[in-house]
Amino acid sequence: MSNSLYPIFLKAHQLDILIIGGGSVGLEKLSFMLKSSPYARVTLVGKTIRSEIRQLATRHPQITLLEREYFTEDLTGMHLVLVATENPETNRKIQQEAKDRGILVNVADTPELCDFYLGSIVTKGHLKVAISTNGQSPTIAKRLREVLDDALPEEIDELLLRMKQIRNQLKGNFGYKVKELNRLTSSLVYGTKHKENENERDNS
């Protein structure tokens, strides 16, 4: 069966996101969120909150920390919930409460309770590539991220900015612009393939 997930890129700074759990898993979720979206609006609730989480919050003033137990009312107004407590029963309870309110939820290490997964991400300036294995193997996603991170040059961001300038300067309707941009960028793919074929011939 193929991967039927629908990928989207969220403007996390425009959403209200709740993380429940102040331990190592909560730290992992918050760190991942801020690495990709430094201005994400996050409220984190935990009976005890690790010092590393507090350090992150000092560098990101939009983060709210609540060192206390979770209450159902914490879900009010939230768009996304990441459940990261150390107690599976508590996680299931929170997941059901979030579902009852129509809030999308991710439960750490429990794919069957997730409405969405947090894939591995490669970022090069304005370019962002997300990798999903449909929840089958986060390790493979991590390795693919490392490969892409090495393969994509840092200069790709400069190319993106130039393409934006070219797109803005093009005259004509939408169809014409798409055709011209496709023509200009075709060498990125076919030129690379041509070089690979030449290298294979040279090595044979």
Side-chain angles (χ1 to χ4, degrees):
M1 184 180 74
S2 63
N3 189 330
S4 61
L5 296 174
Y6 184 75
I8 60 174
F9 289 91
L10 298 171
K11 295 181 178 180
H13 63 285
Q14 296 181 6
L15 303 176
D16 289 302
I17 301 167
L18 177 65
I19 297 178
I20 304 168
S24 58
V25 183
L27 172 62
E28 178 187 350
K29 298 298 183 183
L30 181 61
S31 299
F32 183 85
M33 177 75 65
L34 294 176
K35 181 179 180 181
S36 186
S37 300
Y39 303 106
R41 293 203 313 246
V42 179
T43 298
L44 185 143
V45 180
K47 290 183 178 180
T48 57
I49 296 178
R50 292 180 59 138
S51 59
E52 296 93 332
I53 293 177
R54 294 188 182 281
Q55 291 169 11
L56 279 175
T58 59
R59 299 196 297 271
H60 299 271
Q62 80 280 8
I63 304 299
T64 300
L65 301 181
L66 301 174
E67 191 166 30
R68 58 164 172 75
E69 64 178 294
Y70 154 83
F71 299 113
T72 305
E73 290 73 20
D74 292 327
L75 297 171
T76 301
M78 295 298 168
H79 299 102
L80 295 176
V81 178
L82 307 181
V83 187
T85 80
E86 309 290 338
N87 189 316
E89 288 302 317
T90 299
N91 288 349
R92 286 182 177 275
K93 175 178 177 292
I94 298 171
Q95 185 265 351
Q96 187 57 58
E97 290 174 347
K99 292 289 288 182
D100 291 343
R101 289 176 175 239
I103 304 171
L104 294 176
V105 59
N106 172 280
V107 180
D109 297 323
T110 317
E112 67 273 14
L113 297 182
C114 294
D115 294 316
F116 61 94
Y117 300 138
L118 304 174
S120 289
I121 294 174
V122 179
T123 303
K124 298 282 185 174
H126 288 81
L127 178 67
K128 182 163 290 187
V129 180
I131 303 166
S132 166
T133 61
N134 206 16
Q136 301 302 304
S137 178
T139 302
I140 292 295
K142 176 184 176 182
R143 295 308 177 199
L144 288 172
R145 176 183 60 78
E146 292 171 350
V147 170
L148 286 174
D149 195 43
D150 289 338
L152 291 170
E154 297 296 334
E155 295 78 11
I156 192 73
D157 193 46
E158 182 181 348
L159 175 61
L160 288 174
L161 294 175
R162 287 183 179 178
M163 289 305 300
K164 179 183 179 181
Q165 293 172 354
I166 292 172
R167 182 188 65 190
N168 292 337
Q169 293 170 3
L170 286 174
K171 307 298 181 182
N173 59 28
F174 177 75
Y176 169 77
K177 290 182 179 180
V178 170
K179 182 178 179 180
E180 280 299 294
L181 291 172
N182 284 338
R183 181 182 64 80
L184 289 170
T185 56
S186 64
S187 61
L188 293 175
V189 176
Y190 299 113
T192 301
K193 288 184 177 179
H194 179 69
K195 289 180 180 179
E196 289 176 349
N197 291 335
E198 286 185 341
N199 290 336
E200 288 177 1
R201 286 195 296 270
D202 291 341
N203 295 328
S204 61

